[in-house]
Amino acid sequence: MVIVTTIRREVLTLSAAELGPDNPLPPLRPLDEVHRVDDRDRDGDLPHDMARQLGHAPLRSLLPVRVRDGYGRARAPRDLTALVLENDRLRATVLPGLGGRLASLFHKPTGRELLYRNPVFQPADFALNGAWFSGGVEWNIGATGHTTLSCAPLHAARVPAPDGGPMLRLWEWERLRDLPFQIDLWLPPDADFLLVAVRIRNPHERPRPTYWWSNTAVPEDRRVLTPATAAWHFGHERRLSRVPVPAHDGIDRTHPLNSPYAADYFYDLPEGGRRWIAALDADGHGLVQTSTDVLRGRKLFVWGHRDGGRRWQEWLTEPGTGGYCEIQAGLARTQLEHVSLDAESEVSWLEAYGPLDADPHGAWDTVVAAAGDRLESVLPRAAVEAAHTAWRAHADTAPVEVLATGSGWGALEVLRADWKLPGTPFPASTLGEEQEPWLALLRTGRLPEPRRACPPGGTLVAPHWRELLETAPATPLTEYHLGVAQWHAGDRAQAVRSWERALPLAPSLWPALRCLAVADREDGNPRRCADRYAAAFDDLCQERRDDGERWTAATAALGREAIDALLAVGRTAAARAVWQRLHPATRERGRFRLIEARLLLAEGRRAEARAVFDAGFEVADLREGAETLGLVWSSLDDGPLPSRYDFRMRPPEPA
């Protein structure tokens, strides 16, 4: 019988929340990212290469990407496009519209799902730019944290695989670092392992900071095995310390449910050894991931068994669903590092995902050695290297059939620089509304004025786009975008001057006023910051034309920032005035119910603030590691934080 590997489209119906609109305000300040190491550790006793890469090219902002915070928690059955890659042994389900997530890897002979498969799609505020969801295997590129492409569409196509069968190619333009990348997935006939080849290219004339981690969610009632006797531990105290494996502080941390609080364990794999990580259940069944040596790092992430970790697990799925942990693999030893990709070069590697049967019980060295031997017997290390070598000859092969379409940003960059990127086409047909004004700037040297009043679009901030803005006619809209690009480049004084130049003739004052308010905040001038926010919000309310999605999103985003700024300087009445001009539906959202409780507290209406908590609300965009709920609650009650509001990911501070 001839074994046939197939790729097909399917509709996957999940209980899913809507993503909603992006935040239209430029993210001039980076989101609070919990994965930042304490400065004391950078100067401590760390390996030289790790210390260097910890400080290499941290993000200045999220620009040019926008924040995705328009989602809620109301779920309903929704259809998602899925691409299914299948042979007679494995069935892999990929979601091209959601970052190319590998949502499921099903082993047909045993009837086992090898991943943690989330039964719902529920965005939460974990990605660098907000919306992210749990489950499956996610492909993280860009910078420390979950990629900004977590909930974004990728290009997808059918491509010939090295063995002549079909291969699924995913590709996009990563905008934080301005780098194109591709992910090729294929199943050789009669194979028990899904092969995944990844390539990141740097077409620029200068080196670029680079980041990659493949994050695999697996059920947490597992033992995690990897060939290491030490790990770098990182928790929400943001300290990086070397600990023994499997146990430290008297607890075997290779069992995820043994850890009390959320933590990362970056395993210190020996040089020259095979790189792999597995998660096996009590009967010795589970998933193994291995790769060629370029993918150096391996990691275990655990939520912890305390109330906060359990609450997050419920938050990301639905009651009654088992929890998960993550086994991960990356370019550096830890996720806190960025590596450098040389000019006009590329980096590639091959990963393999499949079932592993081995005894997880017993002494660590014995168990790991036996599991490694078992892996070698079912997938030799040499076979992985050979598969990567064979794939390299096919990495530039042109797609045969387009299966999904990503963004138009890659097409814009290819048009600008006339780059040749064989294998990953970014055709002009993918250019859309977001790219239109920048395409006009590229072709005419002038940024077109909008045909009607609306919130300004996103700003491109790379040096070549900033230079085009600097030479374009100095219209108010051009000055606004130029200021955003200058701010991103670290030239804050010039940014302020550009925004100030935009004001006298601008038909819309609020975009530049809001940017100036952020600058005032960063410069330590909270009163002028509050004044400008109040003026910006008033101007927006006078200008908004309808209650459509774009204006409602702008009103909510600016109103939220304005209330924070006004409360910070004790201008409670002005904050209340902003609150009253928000759309009624906005005021009912969980984030704004929390703002209402803070506003009531500032007004001295403590009982009414407490009533907001008693009535119940859910802050859909609660940030990973955020402790706002607990801080507000402590102002209302000396008792313990109710479990529905307990998202604490670290031990309480000592009294």
Side-chain angles (χ1 to χ4, degrees):
M1 181 178 67
V2 177
I3 306 301
V4 178
T5 299
T6 61
I7 298 176
R8 66 180 184 275
R9 279 197 187 90
E10 282 192 358
V11 174
L12 182 63
T13 302
L14 291 180
S15 177
E18 292 278 12
L19 271 173
D22 288 355
N23 188 320
L25 306 183
L28 302 178
R29 304 179 68 249
L31 295 180
D32 181 27
E33 174 53 47
V34 298
H35 301 104
R36 285 203 185 101
V37 69
D38 191 296
D39 287 339
R40 291 172 291 178
D41 289 333
R42 293 185 185 177
D43 300 325
D45 188 20
L46 297 178
H48 178 70
D49 62 332
M50 183 187 292
R52 182 183 69 254
Q53 292 175 170
L54 285 172
H56 178 52
L59 288 181
R60 287 191 292 265
S61 77
L62 294 177
L63 291 163
V65 177
R66 288 191 163 188
V67 173
R68 310 202 75 171
D69 60 2
Y71 54 87
R73 290 189 58 78
R75 296 197 290 264
R78 306 188 198 280
D79 291 341
L80 303 176
T81 297
L83 299 174
V84 179
L85 180 63
E86 186 170 13
N87 66 7
D88 71 325
R89 310 286 294 176
L90 284 173
R91 183 168 62 246
T93 303
V94 175
L95 303 179
L98 294 170
R101 183 73 60 97
L102 177 61
S104 169
L105 186 60
F106 184 76
H107 189 233
K108 293 156 73 173
T110 60
R112 295 193 187 103
E113 172 61 55
L114 300 180
L115 308 176
Y116 169 77
R117 183 171 185 172
N118 197 334
V120 306
F121 170 68
Q122 177 55 63
D125 194 2
F126 279 65
L128 285 166
N129 64 330
W132 169 90
F133 66 106
S134 65
V137 183
E138 57 175 313
W139 319 108
N140 286 289
I141 183 173
T144 297
H146 295 281
T147 178
T148 61
L149 296 167
S150 292
C151 294
L154 303 189
H155 301 280
R158 185 193 310 269
V159 181
D163 57 20
M167 181 163 66
L168 175 61
R169 174 163 298 163
L170 306 168
W171 73 98
E172 236 318 343
W173 196 277
E174 200 289 308
R175 301 179 69 206
L176 292 179
R177 305 301 195 183
D178 253 348
L179 298 175
F181 69 97
Q182 74 188 72
I183 307 165
D184 287 352
L185 305 94
W186 76 102
L187 286 168
D190 203 29
D192 279 302
F193 282 83
L194 173 69
L195 302 183
V196 182
V198 181
R199 174 167 65 167
I200 305 173
R201 291 193 270 202
N202 177 13
H204 302 278
E205 296 177 350
R206 294 182 179 179
R208 287 290 168 123
T210 308
Y211 174 92
W212 183 279
W213 281 79
S214 302
N215 293 6
T216 304
V218 292
E220 64 184 349
D221 57 343
R222 299 289 188 266
R223 191 179 195 191
V224 174
L225 306 179
T226 192
T229 57
W232 294 93
H233 169 265
F234 185 77
H236 281 268
E237 67 279 4
R238 303 190 181 187
R239 301 302 305 274
L240 192 61
S241 58
R242 187 176 168 87
V243 299
V245 173
H248 75 96
D249 293 338
I251 300 173
D252 185 340
R253 308 285 177 156
T254 63
H255 294 274
L257 285 169
N258 284 353
S259 292
Y261 294 101
D264 298 329
Y265 293 92
F266 299 104
Y267 294 109
D268 200 355
L269 274 61
E271 293 295 331
R274 187 174 188 179
R275 303 189 181 282
W276 61 271
I277 188 168
L280 306 181
D281 64 19
D283 295 325
H285 307 304
L287 173 85
V288 65
Q289 186 273 358
T290 187
S291 72
T292 51
D293 291 352
V294 166
L295 205 63
R296 177 182 185 183
R298 292 300 185 274
K299 170 193 161 183
L300 166 65
F301 166 75
V302 298
W303 281 105
H305 60 70
R306 294 294 181 91
D307 291 346
R310 297 299 91 195
R311 184 70 179 107
W312 273 118
Q313 294 266 34
E314 296 172 355
W315 187 253
L316 296 170
T317 181
E318 60 185 10
T321 302
Y324 75 95
C325 63
E326 288 185 357
I327 55 174
Q328 306 180 9
L331 281 176
R333 200 174 309 180
T334 76
Q335 283 177 329
L336 311 173
E337 304 167 66
H338 300 105
V339 300
S340 183
L341 184 58
D342 289 341
E344 300 177 338
S345 72
E346 64 181 50
V347 61
S348 72
W349 62 91
L350 186 128
E351 305 179 46
Y353 296 81
L356 185 71
D357 296 320
D359 186 358
H361 306 289
W364 177 250
D365 290 347
T366 302
V367 167
V368 168
D373 290 344
R374 177 60 179 165
L375 172 60
E376 186 65 19
S377 70
V378 296
L379 183 66
R381 183 180 186 180
V384 175
E385 297 286 349
H388 182 228
T389 299
W391 167 82
R392 287 170 63 91
H394 294 258
D396 289 347
T397 302
V400 173
E401 178 190 4
V402 174
L403 301 173
T405 303
S407 78
W409 296 114
L412 184 65
E413 293 299 328
V414 167
L415 278 173
R416 181 194 64 80
D418 194 29
W419 277 318
K420 309 301 180 187
L421 299 169
T424 55
F426 293 96
S429 60
T430 61
L431 293 165
E433 181 182 356
E434 290 182 296
Q435 291 81 41
E436 281 182 5
W438 301 97
L439 183 60
L441 176 64
L442 183 63
R443 288 175 170 170
T444 70
R446 174 186 291 270
L447 198 65
E449 291 294 321
R451 291 184 290 271
R452 58 186 177 84
C454 61
T459 304
L460 297 185
V461 297
H464 41 267
W465 292 107
R466 188 173 72 248
E467 291 168 4
L468 286 172
L469 289 168
E470 288 170 347
T471 58
T475 66
L477 183 62
T478 300
E479 294 285 7
Y480 161 78
H481 284 299
L482 176 58
V484 174
Q486 290 165 332
W487 181 272
H488 174 74
D491 195 347
R492 295 187 173 185
Q494 284 289 3
V496 167
R497 282 192 281 272
S498 294
W499 293 324
E500 289 175 341
R501 285 195 301 267
L503 287 175
L505 298 177
S508 301
L509 301 179
W510 65 268
L513 282 172
R514 181 263 177 178
C515 291
L516 289 167
V518 174
D520 287 332
R521 174 178 171 173
E522 294 299 292
D523 289 342
N525 195 335
R527 296 196 176 278
R528 190 167 66 182
C529 167
D531 289 341
R532 280 178 161 156
Y533 264 121
F537 189 77
D538 183 66
D539 184 69
L540 182 149
C541 289
Q542 292 184 49
E543 184 183 84
R544 67 187 181 196
R545 297 295 188 262
D546 52 51
D547 290 340
E549 186 177 82
R550 294 178 71 176
W551 284 110
T552 299
T555 305
L558 185 58
R560 173 177 167 178
E561 291 184 9
I563 291 172
D564 283 343
L566 290 163
L567 288 179
V569 295
R571 293 176 56 183
T572 308
R576 173 61 67 180
V578 171
W579 168 265
Q580 290 171 341
R581 298 175 79 178
L582 295 172
H583 293 91
T586 297
R587 292 198 296 263
E588 291 303 312
R589 290 167 52 186
R591 167 64 62 184
F592 289 87
R593 295 285 286 160
L594 177 59
I595 290 173
E596 182 185 20
R598 292 175 52 222
L599 185 54
L600 290 166
L601 268 173
E603 293 170 335
R605 299 157 66 182
R606 191 168 179 272
E608 292 173 76
R610 171 60 188 265
V612 172
F613 273 78
D614 291 343
F617 60 89
E618 293 184 321
V619 181
D621 59 332
L622 189 69
R623 187 70 177 161
E624 179 188 11
E627 300 181 351
T628 307
L629 287 167
L631 292 173
V632 176
W633 174 261
S634 66
S635 300
L636 298 171
D637 195 298
D638 294 332
L641 182 65
S643 59
R644 68 183 301 175
Y645 302 120
D646 189 356
F647 293 88
R648 292 172 294 189
M649 299 175 71
R650 62 175 183 171
E653 297 288 345

